[in-house]
Amino acid sequence: MSSVVGTTGALASTLNDLKKEQKQNANKKSNLNKSIQNKDNAIKTTETEIQKFLNQISKLNKEMDETNTNMNRVISKINKTNDEIAELRESIESLEKKIAERDVVLRERVRAMQVKGGQVSYIDVLLGANSFADFIDRFSAVTTLMDADRDIMRKQKEDIEQLETEKALVEKKLEELEDAKAQLEKLKANLDRKKVEKSKVIDQLEAEQNRLSKEKEQLEEEFHEAIEIEAELEKKVIAEQKRIAEIARKEAERKAAERKRKAKEAAERAAAANRPSALPPVSNGFWTKPANGRYSSSFGWRMHPIYHTARQHRGADLAVPIGSTVVAAGDGVVNYAGQMGGYGNVIMITHYNNGQTFTTVYAHLSSIGVSVGQVVDKGTRIGASGNTGASTGPHLHFEMHIGNWTASGPSAVNPLRYVSF
């Protein structure tokens, strides 16, 4: 008891000074907090502008999907026209061969008549009969020859007319083909314009988000410094109490973590019993949405909900229940599948598109359905969403990197540039 009283007396001389410092620091905290609240209010007034950017991006995504569909339709028409032209050319080749063969026969007939000194006199043939039976035989032969000549001439005329018709049809099909190719070029040019426009809108969105984050960053740093000073003052005043409180805190955290673990396991078991099996719809183009869910968090700087520091959010979040189907965003090869720190259970896939390498990341998964080196197609199931790693709730964290994934993240890009959410 005397030891405690002595310690209290020793602290009494400095306690008032410490309390004054605490009060000054509390006032500074209060002023900084008001400034931060004012800045938050200013940020909220710009949220409608940010939403306009997101709505514009969504509209552009729909227009790009429609253009891709139209391009596919025109390509199908071009392929069909090419097939029709090929069939007509085969028919023309066959007709030309038949006409040439008949032409040889007709030339031989003319040459034979010239050798005999003029036209064949079918009357002389008939009058040269030795008997009535011979006359009937000769008459039948002459009739057959005349009919054969007329049939050859008729077929030759019909094939020549059909040849001209099909040649004209080929020319028409070729004109249609050129028109379709011109339409395809226009659609491609329109798609390129939409891509450029979407990139500009995303640049504006990111610039607005960065501007707002930087305006808050200085105030938050000063506020955190004030909190640290206040914590240091409290250490000096209540060192022993803090030691005891730390023991109690750790015990409470242990129990809370145990309760959270049991609740999480129960939630995962319940989710597994009703796990969604439907795959998200596959988009046109190279990329598709990795899961069905609400776009809940965007790319850029933000206050981390667990570490309570301003950090760059290097991807996009989709709010989905535990166990929801996760698919490959594009054709590629799995380069990592396992547990990785704050990512929890994570899959990484390497892609190659238009001469460029990309890496996609799927984090906080409840289960992994692929292995390293496995080749996957766009839209195929690779795992299920979860709440593993540094996560505050069930969701899918999705990243895109140009080139290979790196821990520092300079390669990370906004997924909105490539994927429609």
Side-chain angles (χ1 to χ4, degrees), residues 308-334:
H308 304 295
T309 58
R311 292 191 176 190
Q312 187 187 31
H313 188 236
R314 297 193 296 169
D317 289 347
L318 293 174
V320 289
I322 291 174
S324 296
T325 297
V326 177
V327 302
D331 299 339
V333 180
V334 178

Side-chain angles (χ1 to χ4, degrees), residues 46-62 198 201-202 204-206 209 295-299 414 416 421:
T46 64
E47 286 179 351
T48 54
E49 294 299 321
I50 292 176
Q51 188 59 46
K52 288 180 181 178
F53 288 141
L54 291 173
N55 291 340
Q56 194 172 353
I57 290 170
S58 178
K59 180 182 177 183
L60 286 169
N61 285 334
K62 291 180 181 177
K198 177 182 174 181
V201 173
I202 292 175
Q204 291 175 325
L205 171 63
E206 292 180 354
Q209 290 173 329
Y295 181 76
S296 60
S297 185
S298 60
F299 181 93
N414 194 334
L416 280 175
F421 290 97

